[in-house]
Amino acid sequence: MLNTAFRPGAPDWLDLSSPDTRASVDFYTALFGWTFDSAGPESGGYGFFRLDGRIVAALGPLTDESSLPGWTLYFATPDADRTTALVEKAGGRVRFAPFDVFTSGRMAGYTDPTGADFAVWQPHDTRGLDVVDEEGSLCWAECHSIDAELAKSFYRTVFDWQEQDVPFDGSIYTVLTPAGGGTDDAHGGIVQLGPQQTAAGTGSHWLPYFEVPNADAGLAIAATIGATVKVPATDVHGVGRLAQLVDPHGAVFAVITSAPPGA
């Protein structure tokens, strides 16, 4: 499960790039009960989604005309420059080189060899998200890859994640845990995209999951405010009830009502 200890390699930040930040604020505040505040005039339109005053995610405008709307997951690193060297060594691409964000921290963005975008956050004044793994917050990070084995090899080199392969629905689901963590520290997974998905044009991507009290109720709300359902609500034994959605601008995310421990 995610926590705010943010071991190296664990998800520690999350932001949304949108062509219409005002509309995105309206959508996500209605869906999750978040509030939003700007980071200030010097931030270029960047700001923070909050739940009970605590940062759960961030939002900013698209950086250029070639950018697509979407959620970006950030993983904790003690040294963004060293991580950048590891990404290049492992065959990834640097989308933007490490740079300092005022005194908050240092960040960099990459694309893995299978085409999935992600980023890293090296904390200074801002350690990371204020809350995870609670209702209305990030609770899981999942890589859907056109080549799961290549993705596993890449991230193993970059983050030294621990892996556990679990049979799932006729394929293999790889559960990811930060280096040195235990079973309870698992933060995400890697799954192979199926032939139908790739034939339909689905490329490699990271998918954020948000915990909700009732997945079906969440889908009903999302449908009334402009979302489309990508994967209908489904029960997964021992995991919970989950669904995938596409927001009004094309950003994909998932919601889950997690099964009680031991279920």
Side-chain angles (χ1 to χ4, degrees):
M1 61 187 295
L2 273 65
N3 58 64
T4 53
F6 299 135
R7 288 178 178 271
D12 63 347
W13 194 255
L14 174 76
D15 61 21
L16 173 68
S17 297
S18 171
D20 186 340
T21 55
R22 183 65 259 173
S24 291
V25 166
D26 291 342
F27 174 83
Y28 286 98
T29 55
L31 180 60
F32 293 129
W34 294 343
T35 59
F36 180 78
D37 60 76
S38 170
E42 72 281 4
S43 68
Y46 201 80
F48 309 109
F49 286 116
R50 297 181 183 270
L51 184 66
D52 298 328
R54 302 171 297 172
I55 295 175
V56 290
L59 167 70
L62 295 177
T63 54
D64 57 61
E65 292 182 357
S66 64
S67 298
L68 296 175
W71 285 99
T72 299
L73 281 154
Y74 293 67
F75 299 94
T77 178
D79 188 336
D81 295 273
R82 180 176 183 275
T83 300
T84 299
L86 289 171
V87 166
E88 294 178 314
K89 176 183 177 182
R93 179 173 66 87
V94 178
R95 290 186 295 114
F96 56 87
F99 69 94
D100 292 322
V101 183
F102 305 109
T103 61
S104 296
R106 190 165 174 80
M107 64 184 287
Y110 317 107
T111 303
D112 78 20
T114 79
D117 291 342
F118 69 103
V120 293
W121 178 253
Q122 177 186 338
H124 293 158
D125 294 345
T126 300
R127 181 171 175 77
L129 300 173
D130 291 332
V131 58
V132 295
D133 208 44
E134 294 183 14
E135 287 185 2
S137 71
L138 179 70
C139 65
W140 196 248
E142 195 169 79
C143 182
H144 293 234
S145 181
I146 61 172
D147 188 336
E149 289 303 315
L150 178 57
K152 286 160 61 174
S153 175
F154 170 80
Y155 291 107
R156 194 182 306 128
T157 298
V158 174
F159 293 121
D160 196 26
W161 285 337
Q162 299 169 178
E163 304 168 5
Q164 180 183 6
D165 288 340
V166 179
F168 177 73
D169 197 24
S171 60
I172 295 295
Y173 188 96
T174 301
V175 178
L176 305 170
T177 304
T183 304
D184 290 342
D185 296 317
H187 65 261
I190 294 177
V191 61
Q192 176 71 43
L193 286 167
Q196 289 183 327
Q197 294 168 300
T198 54
T202 301
S204 299
H205 61 281
W206 278 94
L207 180 72
Y209 279 70
F210 298 98
E211 185 72 34
V212 293
N214 185 306
D216 294 277
L219 261 63
I221 293 170
T224 67
I225 55 177
T228 55
V229 176
K230 184 176 183 182
V231 178
T234 306
D235 289 314
V236 178
H237 179 70
V239 175
R241 189 163 176 79
L242 53 90
Q244 292 182 30
L245 294 162
V246 183
D247 79 11
H249 296 111
V252 182
F253 65 100
V255 294
I256 182 170
T257 302
S258 296

